[in-house]
Amino acid sequence: MSKPFQTTVVGSMPKPAWLMEQLPLNAKGKQVHGKGADWHFSGDVLGAALDDATRLTVHDQVHAGIDILSDGEQRRTSYLTYVTSQLEGFDYETLAEKWTRNGRRLAEVGRCVGPIRRTKSILRRDAEFMLAQSDRPVKMTLPGPMTVVDSTADEYYGDEEKMAMAAAEVLNEEARELDALGVAVIQFDEPVFSRYPDKVKDWGIAALDRCLEGIKNAQTAAHICYSYPMPGVPRPIVDSYPVILEALESSKIDQLALEFEASKLDPQLLSLCPSKTVMFGCIDNGIDEIETAEHVAAKLLAAAKYLPADQIQAAPDCGLVPLSMDIARAKLQAMVEGARLARERLA
Ligand code: ZN
């Protein structure tokens, strides 16, 4: 059994200004998946810089007192294309235009032009590097199958569910390799689950469960964004969590990373997923104001009314990449201190 209110991050962390061109998250104009900003280096120097940026985010997380570490996705220009562009079956040379996120965003996306296959390890080296950095448990993230389908243009399968199951099969191969390496948590990011609650029930859960087959030691997790903050775009909150959480309770996934801070959702929703460990989002990644430890503690203790405290982890709502490094550091420190206070106050 784990200690109550363990602390973790969802995935991405801000990148140092020396590593990558700093662009606003949703710079005006059409989005090109995975091509938001440019690295300041190339070749071997870039490789060394990515290693160093990863060491830096590990340092920041350990210094803040985070229990379960992520590589902060420092090596990725996109959490998704970093993985999909390394799979056979996708073409990122000639992009297609597609309305994604249920019509919210027009993007240029990669095309699926043949059977999705995994011909090499994708995250093996990244995971080995992370495992060598500290003794703390490591989380690695992969895009979930529904999000892969939504974020690419299908010119091969002709059926979303079929394509999702094909993606799930290769994501599962990757996940089993991470499991064998000793990664503690394998997280599938499904930001689009909240956009398509009906598809979640129809085939989203089945595709997610397909990703988990044969995983022996790692905990498995799904991150469901509530509404990713994008400057200049209103957050089109669709109250889909109730439907999604009920469906996820029936899945084989161990953990759910959910947003409760910016969304101001009622923690009573946790009673819909009594068997899951929940990364309870208590830090907003869309504002610079630092949450206080008292605020975090109160949120966690409120959540503990609906789920045992050892099934609750303190986490930010979502990846912290939109923030500056200093603000992200301060927020993580407040979160860790808040979790400590909450532990102290547990009756
Ligand atoms: Zn998110």
Side-chain angles (χ1 to χ4, degrees), residues 58-259:
V58 167
H59 169 85
D60 284 346
Q61 291 171 55
V62 171
H63 186 70
I66 297 293
D67 297 312
I68 302 161
L69 309 179
S70 131
D71 68 0
E73 300 174 1
Q74 296 294 295
R75 301 171 193 281
R76 310 187 189 193
T77 54
S78 146
Y79 72 99
L80 181 122
T81 59
Y82 183 73
V83 174
T84 51
S85 66
Q86 297 191 58
L87 293 169
E88 202 174 88
F90 288 107
D91 175 7
Y92 279 89
E93 296 299 314
T94 312
L95 301 174
E97 212 168 69
K98 182 180 176 181
W99 281 98
T100 61
R101 310 303 189 251
N102 210 359
R104 184 182 179 202
R105 185 152 59 143
L106 183 63
E108 285 202 52
V109 297
R111 299 176 304 130
C112 178
V113 294
I116 302 172
R117 289 201 191 99
R118 174 179 172 272
T119 53
K120 57 174 182 180
S121 297
I122 297 171
L123 300 180
R124 169 183 271 275
R125 193 206 167 255
D126 301 1
E128 286 173 342
F129 185 87
M130 273 304 285
L131 290 165
Q133 298 307 310
S134 83
D135 293 332
R136 299 195 189 195
V138 166
K139 169 201 287 197
M140 296 296 293
T141 60
L142 287 163
M146 186 183 287
T147 299
V148 170
V149 169
D150 192 56
S151 310
T152 54
D154 175 26
E155 296 177 8
Y156 176 76
Y157 289 96
D159 179 87
E160 285 193 320
E161 181 177 356
K162 220 165 134 187
M163 181 177 167
M165 293 311 282
E169 206 174 307
V170 300
L171 291 166
N172 173 248
E173 288 171 24
E174 186 66 20
R176 275 184 286 143
E177 186 172 6
L178 294 173
D179 181 40
L181 287 171
V183 168
V185 182
I186 302 168
Q187 179 178 295
F188 296 89
D189 291 322
E190 284 286 27
V192 310
F193 263 30
S194 54
R195 302 268 176 266
Y196 306 107
D198 291 338
K199 290 184 197 175
V200 170
K201 286 189 290 180
D202 289 349
W203 51 264
I205 299 294
L208 187 62
D209 278 350
R210 178 64 188 86
C211 296
L212 314 180
E213 278 180 26
I215 294 180
K216 295 191 177 77
N217 298 310
Q219 290 283 296
T220 60
H223 168 53
I224 320 293
C225 294
Y226 192 68
S227 171
Y228 203 84
M230 295 185 202
V233 180
R235 300 182 80 160
I237 302 291
V238 183
D239 192 13
S240 52
Y241 261 15
V243 178
I244 297 168
L245 293 185
E246 211 176 331
L248 280 162
E249 175 62 17
S250 71
S251 79
K252 295 179 193 136
I253 206 94
D254 300 310
Q255 307 185 351
L256 302 174
L258 305 172
E259 302 193 5

Side-chain angles (χ1 to χ4, degrees), residues 9 13 18 22 196 225 260 290-291 294 329:
V9 294
M13 292 287 289
W18 51 258
Q22 308 281 298
Y196 306 107
C225 294
F260 278 90
I290 316 286
E291 290 78 3
E294 282 292 339
R329 287 175 179 128

